[in-house]
Amino acid sequence: MTSVETDRLDDLSMNETPYPPLPSLRRVVEEGAARLHRYPDRLAGALTAGLARELGVDPGSILVGPGSAGLCQHLVQALGPRPEVVHAALSFEGYPLIVRNAGATAVPVPMDGHGHDLPAMAAAVTARTRCVLVCNPNNPTGAALRRAELVDFLDRVPADVPVVVDEAYRHFVTDPDVPDAMDLYRAYPNVCVLRTFSKAYGLAALRIGYAVVPPALAMAVRVVGMVFFPGSLGQAAALRALEPDVTGELERRCAAVVAARDRLADGLREAGVAVPPSQANFLWLPLGERAGAFAGAARAAGILVAALDGRGVRVTVGSDEANDRFLAFARDHLG
């Protein structure tokens, strides 16, 4: 395969699901179009109640907002006035912008290989720390933190410093030793959990997610959120997504993505690429200085990937056809 211009474009850069919305969720959105002249429930009461039942928590601890990234912005803004936010140095690309938007200063902590260096992050926490951001599984590397190391980390962080565990990719985790952050939320008074309907549920365009936070923090976060957001269609689709029939289909789809992820990783390793283990719906190619040139050649061949110049390339698991196409390209350019 050669790097030539092509009319076809496979976008493997955005961590989206390769599947269209489930028919039941699409119907909810189509039916909701008849009520576009009405404002949404500004409190997202029905969805909040549904999530509270699903998670077994008080409704007052749940925040509904514009995806996990939007809610992360709300949290960092509301948790002031301490000026610093600690996060891993190679994690979600939005964290530095979120921190700057909140008028705070980022304290990036270098990674331990492809994952968080939790002892170093704990050591970076000071009296100036507003909160700590932990992406698990980590974007863009796909690495996941295990229960024992997270518990040890939380034991070392002062109880008055919130630890925000971003679980945008939780549905793709298969390692039983990667904890559900809700268990940590119940065990520690400073844990906040972020989740989204954008990834596994395929509702990215509706921009809806939720956070579970200590009740004492919830009101402070609510006052920084936008009024009448998320919209009615997002609320209705997310509420329908909690029903058992949708949950069952979601599990099957996630299992298919995981199987495709593992096949793609095996193929890349056979081609000589040192792909680290991933617990997300994407893979990390640690190409270093070759990252930019590789991404440019992929684009010329009609394949979009996310490049972090000088570090590596993140590739989202796509359809079987798109995955095969990318694998053939990678073998040609990296083998």
Side-chain angles (χ1 to χ4, degrees):
M1 186 175 182
T2 58
S3 296
V4 296
E5 293 298 331
T6 177
D7 292 332
R8 174 175 171 178
L9 191 65
D10 286 320
D11 191 346
L12 304 181
S13 68
M14 295 296 290
N15 291 351
E16 300 157 333
T17 176
Y19 301 113
L22 292 169
S24 58
L25 302 187
R26 180 170 176 170
R27 282 194 297 273
V28 167
V29 174
E30 290 171 345
E31 293 166 0
R35 297 184 294 278
L36 291 180
H37 59 301
R38 300 296 186 186
Y39 283 111
D41 175 4
R42 65 183 181 85
L43 300 178
L47 179 56
T48 298
L51 287 166
R53 290 191 298 270
E54 179 79 9
L55 300 170
V57 298
D58 189 295
S61 65
I62 293 177
L63 306 168
V64 173
S68 54
L71 283 162
C72 185
Q73 181 73 74
H74 295 170
L75 281 167
V76 175
Q77 285 180 237
L79 296 177
R82 294 174 181 176
E84 296 179 349
V85 176
V86 173
H87 62 80
L90 183 58
S91 195
F92 175 44
E93 62 197 39
Y95 289 158
L97 178 61
I98 286 170
V99 173
R100 288 197 301 272
N101 286 345
T105 300
V107 180
V109 178
M111 305 280 278
D112 179 8
H114 300 298
H116 291 62
D117 186 340
L118 290 182
M121 290 178 68
V125 174
T126 69
R128 294 170 57 82
T129 304
R130 181 180 302 190
C131 64
V132 181
L133 305 178
V134 177
C135 190
N136 198 40
N138 186 51
N139 177 12
T141 63
L145 296 162
R146 271 62 180 182
R147 182 173 289 100
E149 56 188 332
L150 269 170
V151 166
D152 179 68
F153 172 71
L154 290 169
D155 284 341
R156 296 178 62 184
V157 174
D160 65 340
V161 176
V163 176
V164 181
V165 184
D166 185 346
E167 288 194 318
Y169 303 96
R170 171 69 196 170
H171 287 91
F172 305 107
V173 171
T174 56
D175 184 344
D177 200 30
V178 177
D180 183 329
M182 285 304 302
D183 294 336
L184 303 176
Y185 168 82
R186 294 182 179 93
Y188 291 87
N190 58 333
V191 169
C192 305
V193 182
L194 290 176
R195 290 181 178 169
T196 184
F197 289 93
S198 296
K199 309 300 183 185
Y201 289 95
L203 299 179
L206 295 179
R207 304 307 306 132
I208 186 159
Y210 63 93
V212 187
V213 304
L217 299 178
M219 186 55 67
V221 182
R222 284 193 182 94
V223 299
V224 304
M226 292 183 291
V227 179
F228 296 129
F229 201 96
S232 298
L233 302 184
Q235 293 183 37
L239 182 60
R240 179 69 178 87
L242 301 179
E243 295 297 323
D245 61 321
V246 176
T247 301
E249 180 60 27
L250 177 73
E251 291 173 353
R252 289 188 287 273
R253 286 189 167 194
C254 289
V257 169
V258 167
R261 175 192 74 196
D262 294 345
R263 286 194 300 271
L264 184 57
D266 289 343
L268 288 167
R269 292 181 187 121
E270 290 171 2
V273 184
V275 178
S278 174
Q279 289 290 306
N281 68 327
F282 53 82
L283 298 173
W284 175 247
L285 282 61
L287 300 180
E289 295 301 325
R290 296 182 294 166
F294 178 84
R299 184 182 186 91
I303 304 169
L304 297 183
V305 296
L308 281 76
D309 285 344
R311 305 298 293 270
V313 169
R314 188 193 67 204
V315 181
T316 306
V317 177
S319 66
D320 288 343
E321 186 178 8
N323 294 339
D324 290 343
R325 199 163 167 250
F326 173 76
L327 184 56
F329 170 83
R331 284 171 174 157
D332 191 30
H333 286 74
L334 298 174

mmCIF file of all heavy atoms in Angstrom, residues 38 106 117 200 287 333:
data_model
loop_
_atom_site.group_PDB
_atom_site.id
_atom_site.type_symbol
_atom_site.label_atom_id
_atom_site.label_comp_id
_atom_site.label_asym_id
_atom_site.label_seq_id
_atom_site.Cartn_x
_atom_site.Cartn_y
_atom_site.Cartn_z
ATOM 1 N N ARG A 38 -39.823 23.315 22.827
ATOM 2 C CA ARG A 38 -39.889 23.361 24.286
ATOM 3 C C ARG A 38 -38.485 23.328 24.890
ATOM 4 O O ARG A 38 -37.602 22.629 24.404
ATOM 5 C CB ARG A 38 -40.673 22.160 24.818
ATOM 6 C CG ARG A 38 -42.111 22.082 24.313
ATOM 7 C CD ARG A 38 -42.929 23.257 24.801
ATOM 8 N NE ARG A 38 -44.343 23.113 24.430
ATOM 9 C CZ ARG A 38 -45.254 24.051 24.630
ATOM 10 N NH1 ARG A 38 -44.914 25.217 25.172
ATOM 11 N NH2 ARG A 38 -46.508 23.849 24.274
ATOM 12 N N ALA A 106 -1.717 24.150 35.597
ATOM 13 C CA ALA A 106 -1.538 22.710 35.506
ATOM 14 C C ALA A 106 -0.201 22.294 36.102
ATOM 15 O O ALA A 106 0.811 22.976 35.936
ATOM 16 C CB ALA A 106 -1.622 22.255 34.052
ATOM 17 N N ASP A 117 2.123 7.796 36.914
ATOM 18 C CA ASP A 117 3.065 7.558 38.006
ATOM 19 C C ASP A 117 2.384 8.068 39.276
ATOM 20 O O ASP A 117 2.564 9.221 39.683
ATOM 21 C CB ASP A 117 4.374 8.307 37.738
ATOM 22 C CG ASP A 117 5.461 7.983 38.756
ATOM 23 O OD1 ASP A 117 5.111 7.504 39.861
ATOM 24 O OD2 ASP A 117 6.646 8.227 38.466
ATOM 25 N N ALA A 200 -19.104 4.524 24.330
ATOM 26 C CA ALA A 200 -19.724 3.211 24.131
ATOM 27 C C ALA A 200 -21.163 3.322 23.644
ATOM 28 O O ALA A 200 -21.609 2.537 22.800
ATOM 29 C CB ALA A 200 -19.665 2.410 25.425
ATOM 30 N N LEU A 287 5.587 5.952 18.578
ATOM 31 C CA LEU A 287 6.470 6.137 17.434
ATOM 32 C C LEU A 287 7.494 7.244 17.625
ATOM 33 O O LEU A 287 8.361 7.439 16.768
ATOM 34 C CB LEU A 287 5.641 6.423 16.170
ATOM 35 C CG LEU A 287 4.646 5.333 15.773
ATOM 36 C CD1 LEU A 287 3.901 5.736 14.500
ATOM 37 C CD2 LEU A 287 5.339 3.990 15.588
ATOM 38 N N HIS A 333 4.340 0.710 6.228
ATOM 39 C CA HIS A 333 5.132 1.878 6.619
ATOM 40 C C HIS A 333 5.999 1.650 7.846
ATOM 41 O O HIS A 333 6.941 2.422 8.081
ATOM 42 C CB HIS A 333 4.223 3.077 6.864
ATOM 43 C CG HIS A 333 3.696 3.679 5.596
ATOM 44 N ND1 HIS A 333 2.714 3.078 4.844
ATOM 45 C CD2 HIS A 333 4.050 4.822 4.948
ATOM 46 C CE1 HIS A 333 2.474 3.845 3.775
ATOM 47 N NE2 HIS A 333 3.265 4.893 3.823
#
